[in-house]
Amino acid sequence: MAWFKEKQNTSYIRNFCSNVLKSGEIPKHVAIIMDGNRRFAKKVNCERSKGHEKGFEKLTEVLEWCFELGIPEVTVYAFSIENFKRSKDEVECLMELAKQKFDRLLEERHVLNVCMAYTSRHEICEAIKTMAKAVEDGALKPMDISENVLDQCLYTHQSPEPDLLIRTSGEVRFSDFLLWQCSYTSLSFLKVLWPEFSVWNFYSAILSYQWNFTAIQKIRQDAQKDKIHKEMEADLEVVLNELRAENVCVSNGSSSSNGTRVEKYQDKKRERIERFLSGLDELRTDYLDRMCTVQS
């Protein structure tokens, strides 16, 4: 059974708006904080479980809208670590709903990342622990640690940074969701509750992204250039310190001989990082295999 229903006729106005949006920049990765299920249930005077069920149904619609616009990847905040503080009945209901709904998503080919039992601070902390252990074990040197290496230690290492973050319910905060990844992301905070999120709300968020696209891209490019410049400076400083330790006279940090030595250092550094990341991928694969075995 496919996740998406058979395509239904859409209005002329919606088709027109969709085509207009597709003539502009479309985000490659959209992150969504699906907030407001419980408030929706209270608003319509129904059980909380029904509100969560409506929320999952809304996710189905939103994924279809993303598919129509050609958005290849979506990341949703389904359940934070803090949500385990809710009542036992509500947590069990959410877990069962997630199991039923997300099992169906496995049949689809587009990328959907589901953040369950997740907080960004925990993710960043675990990434730092991973790098620290690598330094302790000798797999990395302290000078190897950089933003790029930390990026590869995060759960989202295989995904591009989100281009657009949407949060519903009127809350204007991240709630510990993708804090590192959303540094240069277009933000859309909407007052509508998640189960009431409409295609027009969605189009509005996409339009906001397109409006801010040029400015955000410039900021991203400038940040990337600055990151590269800082790494180059750090690498040069390491080489110069090595030369000083060898009692080699350092008169010109940009000389040809020093430049060659920097290149050799960078090659060795790159090899260390690649070995470390390859080993990390193996650990992740082994962990997932063991989890699948336990589940089966």
Side-chain angles (χ1 to χ4, degrees), residues 63-189:
L63 291 175
E64 185 175 0
W65 303 337
C66 290
F67 176 79
E68 290 172 355
L69 286 183
I71 297 170
E73 185 164 358
V74 177
T75 298
V76 296
Y77 203 5
F79 201 79
S80 76
I81 293 175
E82 295 298 314
N83 288 152
F84 282 105
K85 296 178 181 178
R86 295 179 179 178
S87 69
K88 181 181 177 181
D89 289 344
E90 185 174 357
V91 171
E92 288 179 350
C93 171
L94 273 168
M95 293 297 102
E96 182 58 31
L97 269 173
K99 183 177 184 301
Q100 293 174 8
K101 303 298 182 180
F102 292 133
D103 275 351
R104 294 169 62 190
L105 281 173
L106 296 177
E107 301 170 11
E108 302 301 329
R109 296 182 181 179
H110 294 267
V111 179
L112 173 65
N113 307 307
V114 183
C115 296
M116 300 280 289
Y118 168 90
T119 67
S120 187
R121 286 174 294 180
H122 179 266
E123 176 188 25
I124 296 170
C125 184
E126 289 300 306
I128 292 171
K129 287 180 181 177
T130 298
M131 293 186 296
K133 188 175 187 308
V135 172
E136 183 181 350
D137 294 342
L140 291 178
K141 293 185 177 181
M143 301 79 73
D144 298 338
I145 304 302
S146 67
E147 289 185 32
N148 287 328
V149 176
L150 194 151
D151 283 338
Q152 294 302 310
C153 293
L154 297 174
Y155 304 146
T156 55
H157 64 283
Q158 293 182 322
S159 299
E161 293 180 349
D163 297 304
L164 170 65
L165 170 71
I166 298 172
R167 177 168 187 158
T168 56
S169 85
E171 298 289 344
V172 186
R173 52 194 173 90
F174 284 90
S175 292
D176 214 349
F177 179 57
L178 302 181
L179 299 179
W180 179 274
Q181 296 89 335
C182 287
S183 297
Y184 310 107
T185 296
S186 179
L187 308 176
S188 185
F189 297 105

Side-chain angles (χ1 to χ4, degrees), residues 278-288 290:
S278 177
L280 185 57
D281 281 339
E282 289 179 6
L283 289 174
R284 287 166 172 157
T285 301
D286 180 63
Y287 173 78
L288 290 174
R290 286 188 282 110

Side-chain angles (χ1 to χ4, degrees), residues 1 12 51 53 55 59 80 84 122 139 158 203 207 254 268 295:
M1 179 178 184
Y12 171 81
E53 186 175 344
L59 175 58
S80 76
F84 282 105
H122 179 266
Q158 293 182 322
Y203 286 171
L207 187 61
S254 61
K268 291 180 179 179
Q295 290 295 321

Side-chain angles (χ1 to χ4, degrees), residues 17-59:
C17 291
S18 177
N19 289 330
V20 169
L21 289 174
K22 283 191 282 188
S23 68
E25 296 291 341
I26 296 296
K28 295 178 177 62
H29 185 185
V30 173
I32 306 174
I33 301 176
M34 307 180 295
D35 193 16
N37 292 342
R38 297 203 297 175
R39 274 172 277 183
F40 171 79
K42 184 177 181 180
K43 178 180 177 180
V44 300
N45 194 29
C46 68
E47 296 292 328
R48 285 180 178 175
S49 60
K50 193 67 177 177
H52 291 305
E53 186 175 344
K54 289 291 185 182
F56 278 108
E57 291 174 2
K58 180 56 62 176
L59 175 58

Side-chain angles (χ1 to χ4, degrees), residues 251-266:
S251 60
N252 186 354
S254 61
S255 68
S256 176
S257 60
N258 289 345
T260 301
R261 186 149 178 167
V262 169
E263 289 177 1
K264 290 181 178 179
Y265 167 76
Q266 289 175 329

